Amino acid sequence: MDRGGCQMSGGGGGGGGGGDAMDRPGVITLEDLESFSEDQLSDSGNGSLEEEGETMEAEDGSERLLNYWQEVARGHQVEVSPDMAEPIQQLSSNNQGQSQREQVPFTLLLRKEKCGEQLYEKRHYEKGHWACITLHEDTYEQSICYGFMRIMRYICQQNSLGDYLGMTLPIVTVVRTDESRSVISQDVTVAYYLPLEHQAQPPQPHDNEIVVEVWPAATVYTRGFTGPTNEVTIINQIGAMAELLDSPGLCVSDSFIVAGYTNPAHSHRQNEIWFLERR
C-alpha cells in the first residue's frame, strides 16, 4: 500500500477494506457510533429500549448499545460485529457533549460575504499529526463506512496506549475527482486529527492500514452545507464552491476535503467542503 498520500495536499495511497466481519456494503460513520449514548436510545424511531421488557433490562450497557446500533445499522445495510461493543461503549461514555470534542485548530484569514450572506472562509491550518486510512471499495459510501469504523477502533483502544484517545472535529474525508470534477474516485481517505495531548507523541495504531502522518500546513477555502454527503451532493458542492471563488485556479483541481461536524443521522447535519490552496 502506498502510505505517502494521506496529507492535506489531497494525495492518497491505495488500500483495501480488510477481511473482517465489517466488510459489507452500507453507509455508517464514526460519528454515527460516537453520537449514541444510552440517553439517546429512545430516539431510534422504533420505540425506546425500555419497551423491550425484562430481557433488555438484564443486559449491561455495552450490550444495549451494541444491540441498538445493530438495529440502526441494518437500515444502512451494514452488519456490526459483536467485537464493536466495547468501542461503541467507550465513545458513548466518553463523549456526553460538544464541550468534550476538541476542534481542529485554525486561523481565520478571510471571510467573504455578499449581501449579508457568508459565501466562504479562508483558513490556515498548521501542520499536525493525523491518523488516516485510504480505501478503495465498490462505492464511496462503503469506503467511508469501513474507514470510519477502523479509525474508531484506533481512537477507542486499538493503539499503543491501549486507551481512549478522545474525539476531535471535524472528521475529514479526502475525495478525488477527474479533471472535470464530475466523477469521484473510489479512492477515499478518512482522517482523524489527534488531540493536542497526543500531537507530540502520537499513539501508534494496531491496524497496519492506518497511518499516522504529519500533514503539512495548509490554506483552505471552506464553505458550509447541510444534509447528506454522497457522490451527488459532493459533486454539487464542489461545483458551487468553484463558482464562488474569485480565482479557483489557485486551488488543487482534483482533490477536495469533506469535513463533518455533526451526527450524519441528524436531519440538519453540518458539513463543509474544503478547497486546498496550491503550495
Side-chain angles (χ1 to χ4, degrees), residues 36 47 70 80 89 99 109 163-164 198 236 251 255 271:
F36 292 126
Q70 286 174 329
V80 178
Q89 175 70 15
S99 62
L109 302 177
D163 200 5
Y164 174 76
H198 298 303
N236 288 341
C251 297
S255 293
N271 315 293

XYZ file of all heavy atoms in Angstrom, residues 36 47 70 80 89 99 109 163-164 198 236 251 255 271:
112
model
N -24.170 8.051 19.815
C -25.187 7.322 20.548
C -24.786 7.078 21.997
O -23.874 6.340 22.280
C -25.468 5.969 19.884
C -26.128 6.120 18.551
C -25.583 5.528 17.426
C -27.259 6.883 18.416
C -26.182 5.679 16.199
C -27.866 7.040 17.182
C -27.317 6.438 16.071
N -39.330 2.878 18.944
C -39.665 2.686 20.336
C -38.418 2.679 21.194
O -37.322 2.440 20.718
N -26.828 -2.267 16.128
C -27.051 -3.305 15.127
C -28.408 -3.112 14.450
O -28.541 -3.317 13.244
C -26.962 -4.690 15.773
C -25.534 -5.094 16.117
C -25.447 -6.398 16.873
O -26.357 -6.747 17.626
N -24.353 -7.122 16.695
N -22.924 -4.950 12.115
C -21.952 -4.562 13.125
C -21.583 -5.802 13.928
O -22.427 -6.418 14.560
C -22.519 -3.473 14.050
C -21.504 -3.113 15.145
C -22.886 -2.240 13.249
N -19.253 1.486 23.286
C -19.462 1.887 24.676
C -18.494 2.990 25.074
O -18.865 3.961 25.735
C -19.291 0.669 25.593
C -19.378 0.993 27.082
C -20.779 1.366 27.523
O -21.737 1.122 26.800
N -20.898 1.978 28.692
N -18.697 19.978 24.351
C -17.562 20.583 25.035
C -16.379 19.638 25.143
O -15.252 20.068 25.336
C -17.980 21.028 26.438
O -18.396 19.911 27.216
N -8.382 33.599 8.068
C -7.682 34.618 7.285
C -8.632 35.583 6.598
O -8.316 36.765 6.422
C -6.799 33.939 6.223
C -5.746 32.962 6.728
C -5.009 32.337 5.549
C -4.779 33.634 7.684
N -5.700 2.863 25.174
C -6.635 3.726 25.881
C -7.432 4.563 24.893
O -7.073 4.683 23.714
C -5.859 4.639 26.843
C -6.735 5.209 27.942
O -7.919 4.836 28.016
O -6.217 6.023 28.735
N -8.513 5.156 25.396
C -9.334 6.055 24.599
C -8.576 7.356 24.374
O -8.096 7.985 25.327
C -10.648 6.315 25.340
C -11.550 7.345 24.702
C -12.289 7.033 23.562
C -11.668 8.621 25.239
C -13.126 7.977 22.980
C -12.505 9.563 24.661
C -13.221 9.238 23.533
O -14.037 10.177 22.955
N -1.783 14.408 22.334
C -1.110 13.294 21.663
C -0.312 13.740 20.445
O 0.254 12.897 19.748
C -2.131 12.245 21.235
C -2.878 11.628 22.381
N -2.254 10.991 23.424
C -4.215 11.551 22.632
C -3.163 10.545 24.278
N -4.351 10.877 23.827
N -21.956 18.413 -6.394
C -22.706 19.669 -6.437
C -22.026 20.747 -5.586
O -21.940 21.913 -5.993
C -24.140 19.461 -5.958
C -24.979 18.681 -6.961
O -24.624 18.587 -8.130
N -26.072 18.110 -6.507
N -6.305 26.825 -6.516
C -6.537 25.654 -5.675
C -6.255 24.367 -6.431
O -6.283 24.322 -7.668
C -7.977 25.645 -5.169
S -8.387 27.059 -4.115
N -8.536 17.251 -5.969
C -8.634 16.675 -4.626
C -9.319 17.682 -3.714
O -8.972 18.872 -3.729
C -7.254 16.326 -4.072
O -6.660 15.282 -4.807
N -21.755 20.164 7.554
C -20.572 19.743 6.816
C -19.904 20.966 6.199
O -20.473 22.054 6.155
C -20.940 18.781 5.673
C -21.922 17.723 6.087
O -21.619 16.857 6.887
N -23.131 17.775 5.528
